[in-house]
Amino acid sequence: MTLRTAGEMARHLSCALEGDAGMQLRGVAGPEWASEQDLVYVDSPRQSERVRLSKARCVVAPAQLAADLRAAGKTLLVAEKPKLAFVKAAAWLAAPEPAKGVHPTAVVAKSARIGAQVTVGPFAVIEDDATVGDGSEVGAFSFLGRGAKLGAGCRLHPRVTVYAGTRLGDRVVAHAGAVLGSDGFGYVTDQGRHWKFPQVGSLEIADDAEIGANTTVDRGSLGVTRLGAQAKIDNLVHIAHNVEVGERTIIAAQTGVAGSSVIGRDVLVGGQVGIADHCQLEDGCVAGAQCGIPTGKVIRRGQMVWGTPARPISRFKEQYGWMARLPELARRLAQLEAAAGGSRSSSETS
């Protein structure tokens, strides 16, 4: 990571500085693992003791927690939103960019357009008419197909595959093993044979999106699959053909989104969610972990759903509560039936 002083960091974050402006900062860490040159943060009184006992000498903290940390000899960066300030600090302290240039083992087509300050790693392949924007990085063993486009400041980690014609905006990050623009899954069956439906569309990923490791995003079948600006997709997610994902939407690991579903802006999708085809998740809704959303279902704006089939969380909790009571209710029912049977036997005897 790049070495900065506490004073430089305070100016970068527009924070008030209390303490040693010349203190050097090398990286970020959690309180228990921090060294003297690491930056840590605190945003809750529950964390104050951990931070106070940490080896870290510089802390991002809100004003209401400053007094205790000041007494412990810490240098403070006073921020209204400490966690956000810490994230920005971490980005500024991030490791320097790798050496620029094309590795001698990379295969780059003569018709490919390579921008300024670009890095192309070992054994990467860039095909005809592909474009790599200024300051982008194509990691080792990555593949950029014919006519594919990377904007400026993108980063493809090792072994990322970008199929022909796929378009990435600026500052897009794709982690190792991601596959972008692969064929969608669609077949027409006739007389015992599956005929593959054409998969001739495209994939467009907007600025500042991030794609997790081993995630696949298919191209459109006849149209376009789209990921909006700042969409954040976790590891091991599958997004099928013709899906649209809105701006700032977050999708957690092992989720599958079937074809032609539309996910709005600022949506949160938990881990292992199954979204069937032609669903619509409106802006700002939340799909809890492992819920199942059946074909064509609409999740309304701002609604939180859980369970399979997905339903409003209040209804899910009520129904789940009754399910948990089923063994008890079964015992009570058996007792009632036994008592009723005994009463009938007594009546018949008399």
Side-chain angles (χ1 to χ4, degrees):
M1 287 193 169
T2 304
L3 203 65
R4 310 283 186 183
T5 67
E8 290 171 336
M9 185 62 72
R11 289 189 291 274
H12 177 72
L13 300 176
S14 299
C15 290
L17 173 68
E18 297 184 14
D20 182 5
M23 178 184 300
Q24 292 188 326
L25 300 174
R26 188 177 297 277
V28 296
E32 291 82 2
W33 301 281
S35 70
E36 289 188 351
Q37 289 189 319
D38 283 327
L39 181 68
V40 299
Y41 83 99
V42 57
D43 60 2
S44 166
R46 296 191 306 271
Q47 303 164 350
S48 292
E49 184 67 9
R50 295 170 55 214
V51 171
R52 193 178 65 81
L53 296 175
S54 173
K55 291 180 181 179
R57 296 170 57 208
C58 189
V59 182
V60 184
Q64 62 268 28
L65 299 180
D68 183 51
L69 296 170
R70 195 184 304 115
K74 305 293 187 184
T75 290
L76 301 179
L77 300 173
V78 182
E80 183 179 352
K81 298 178 179 179
K83 191 171 185 178
L84 177 61
F86 181 77
V87 169
K88 292 179 178 180
W92 204 45
L93 288 167
E97 296 179 2
K100 305 299 180 184
V102 178
H103 194 275
T105 61
V107 179
V108 180
K110 291 182 179 179
S111 61
R113 292 177 290 278
I114 308 299
Q117 298 295 302
V118 164
T119 301
V120 181
F123 300 101
V125 175
I126 300 176
E127 290 194 330
D128 289 325
D129 301 316
T131 300
V132 181
D134 294 348
S136 288
E137 177 186 349
V138 179
F141 294 96
S142 289
F143 172 84
L144 196 62
R146 181 186 298 269
K149 181 180 178 181
L150 265 65
C154 292
R155 185 175 185 186
L156 304 184
H157 287 265
R159 298 187 184 277
V160 171
T161 299
V162 181
Y163 274 64
T166 297
R167 301 173 69 86
L168 279 65
D170 296 339
R171 299 174 301 279
V172 173
V173 177
H175 290 273
V179 178
L180 308 177
S182 49
D183 280 3
F185 189 72
Y187 295 87
V188 177
T189 302
D190 181 64
Q191 298 182 0
R193 180 174 178 179
H194 299 307
W195 297 83
K196 185 168 183 171
F197 193 83
Q199 303 294 323
V200 294
S202 60
L203 167 63
E204 296 178 359
I205 300 176
D207 298 348
D208 300 300
E210 186 162 358
I211 315 297
N214 293 320
T215 281
T216 57
V217 185
D218 290 343
R219 67 177 57 248
S221 54
L222 302 177
V224 183
T225 302
R226 289 190 176 91
L227 301 187
Q230 296 190 64
K232 306 299 181 184
I233 314 298
D234 198 0
N235 303 333
L236 296 168
V237 170
H238 175 66
I239 296 176
H241 61 272
N242 297 94
V243 167
E244 294 187 16
V245 177
E247 296 175 2
R248 298 176 300 278
T249 283
I250 295 175
I251 300 177
Q254 298 185 351
T255 286
V257 185
S260 300
S261 286
V262 177
I263 302 175
R265 299 184 179 94
D266 301 299
V267 173
L268 299 178
V269 180
Q272 296 186 331
V273 170
I275 302 173
D277 59 288
H278 295 86
C279 292
Q280 183 177 355
L281 280 67
E282 295 183 348
D283 295 350
C285 69
V286 178
Q290 294 190 326
C291 76
I293 303 176
T295 295
K297 187 173 179 63
V298 177
I299 307 300
R300 296 300 180 190
R301 180 188 298 265
Q303 190 175 45
M304 180 180 291
V305 297
W306 217 284
T308 302
R311 69 212 87 163
I313 190 168
S314 57
R315 188 187 309 167
F316 170 80
K317 287 180 177 179
E318 179 184 8
Q319 294 172 346
Y320 197 80
W322 281 108
M323 287 178 61
R325 293 184 62 189
L326 283 177
E328 174 196 346
L329 295 172
R331 287 192 299 271
R332 290 173 63 181
L333 180 59
Q335 292 170 356
L336 290 170
E337 288 178 338
S343 300
R344 284 196 298 271
S345 298
S346 300
S347 300
E348 291 170 0
T349 303
S350 60

